[in-house]
Amino acid sequence: MTSDVQSPEQTDGFHLVIDALKLNGLDTIFCVPGIPITDFTRKAQAEGIRVISFRHEQHAGNAAAAAGFLTRKPGICLTVSAPGFLNGLTALANATTNCFPMILISGSSEREVVDLQQGDYEEMDQLAIAKPLCKAAFRVLHAEDIGVGIARAIRSALSGRPGGVYLDLPAKLFAQTMDAEAGKKSLIKVVDPAPRQIPAPDSVQRALALLKGAKRPLILLGKGAAYAQADADIRALVEKTGIPYLPMSMAKGLLPDTHGQSAAAARSYVLAEADVVMLIGARLNWLLSHGKGKTWGAPNQKRFIQIDIAPTEIDSNVAIEAPLIGDIGSCVSALLSGIGASWAKPPVEWTGAITERKDKNLSKMAATLELEPSPMSFQSALSVVRDVVKTHPDAIVVNEGANTLDFARSIVDMYQPRKRLDVGTWGIMGIGMGFAVAAAVVTGKPVIAIEGDSAFGFSGMEVETICRYNLPVCIVVFNNNGIYKGTDVNPLGGDVAPTVFIKNARYDIMMQAFGGVGVHATTRDELMTAMSEAISSGKPTLINAVIDETAGTESGRITSLNPQSVAKPKAVALPA
Ligand SMILES: Cc1ncc(C[n+]2csc(CCOP(=O)(O)OP(=O)(O)O)c2C)c(N)n1
Ligand SMILES: [Mg+2]
């Protein structure tokens, strides 16, 4: 089975891991090499696995997570022991929170030494540390168990609610040998790793009955619905029922954002006014104000249907009257067969009121987008991005930042499913370049990364990775000189304020250092030209888009989550 081990009848841990991954169609590894996995990365590459080597494990981990979301196969991140493992762990925990399937494989030091805490090279009990932060964690000690270890990792990542899995491979394992034939037989090709979970017929009836009685129904699509790859059925359900829908940010494009039934431009109105809300792969977490409070209108009026694969998600924040447990594809298709041809569309009083508000808000937005302030505002720059995405609907948009995120989410329409990757459930900064690399590598489509200047900094060094693999990634840094805005002042003088960066930094020049295209854009025309060229050439490009440093607000649209001090600010003597 392998070429470069000593005896033709022998195989070893290196090759068994490679063969187990290949057997299961896992053809890409995102990694940072080092002891004990350097040789593994070479051997994997030599055996035809695509090995994408990063500058920091967190970004390799984020790439694996995004690959998992896009492909429904667990993304593989490979790291060295202790510090490399810890660097990858944030991505693993984030993937688990977002329900993205990935496997973090880390090499680890000698068990005997680690367990006696005798101070090995990069000593750490990685398995114990990973366990509470992911869906499942396994360690393989014997070469003959590699097949089982990889199979368990794949199943754990993909089945039920997907998530992150940790797989600990001690250094010694790689060099262990065994009979090649027995080795081959020990590998497992995982059959049906994400089995369908058919909803119980009575739960389908309960949901349909509640939906049927609704006067002001609303469908909420979450990223679970996007992950499910049940696009045609979801669209059919929305269109056949005629129910207005709201996409959560990564569900944008499941139906085109320009769809007549999208209520996105009347979000506050529909959340407050709807009487029955059907959640499809969306959780009632902080992003939906936990399903209660002012956002949701009059107290205790809302009735919920929730489609989720995890029964324990139900009633997590408010009472769910009609839980529908199963995989989203099966649940949606069961609802579709239940609605029949005679389904009454929602009353026009409801849909008409939504359209009225939508039209008003959209024309207000259109007027703002037409303005051409100098320097550019978030809106004027994003109007260019919106137009570019409209002409390239297959491009994948990666988005992070605070204002840069919030404005982009509402301004940039998406037209196809799974084309938007962003900060997700945690609102985490640092996903940008890892997600962009994965999107380009696993789809081959152009990628547009819309990055706040702070957000970009978390993974900025990966522009070298993007240039090295010559990926069709166009990064647009929304440069407003800081976190939220660039205008804060330290009342004592001296150091600059904590939210402020170097003024007028030239991120475009960073890109040029690695042979990529760097463009400094101060107007809409410059931005449009640079983005269009980036997409048509497919060359790695970074556009430094200069944004008004006074334009943002603290934390974008989630200002209210900041705790407020009750103490009055101390009077300080300002320097003369
Ligand atoms: C890992 C992590 N660290 C810190 C934060 C806090 N945070 C939220 S948004 C943000 C950056 C916002 O600035 P920028 O990306 O420039 O966007 P802008 O609002 O200026 O457009 C930071 C640091 C976070 N969300 N995640
Ligand atoms: Mg900024």
Side-chain angles (χ1 to χ4, degrees), residues 322-338:
L324 198 48
I325 303 306
D327 67 281
I328 285 169
S330 301
C331 291
V332 169
S333 114
L335 287 174
L336 260 179
S337 3

Side-chain angles (χ1 to χ4, degrees), residues 385-421:
V385 178
R386 184 194 56 167
D387 293 347
V388 170
V389 173
K390 192 173 182 180
T391 47
H392 300 280
D394 63 338
I396 293 174
V397 173
V398 173
N399 190 195
E400 61 178 335
N403 294 279
T404 303
L405 175 92
D406 290 336
F407 282 112
R409 187 178 49 220
S410 58
I411 292 172
V412 180
D413 288 331
M414 305 306 299
Y415 300 88
Q416 295 177 11
R418 293 170 299 283
K419 297 294 186 189
R420 188 184 152 86
L421 303 171

Side-chain angles (χ1 to χ4, degrees), residues 378 401-404 427-429 452-455 458 480 482-485:
F378 286 101
N403 294 279
T404 303
I428 192 172
M429 298 299 112
D453 52 342
S454 164
F458 286 75
N480 64 347
I483 299 177
Y484 314 136
K485 44 167 67 185

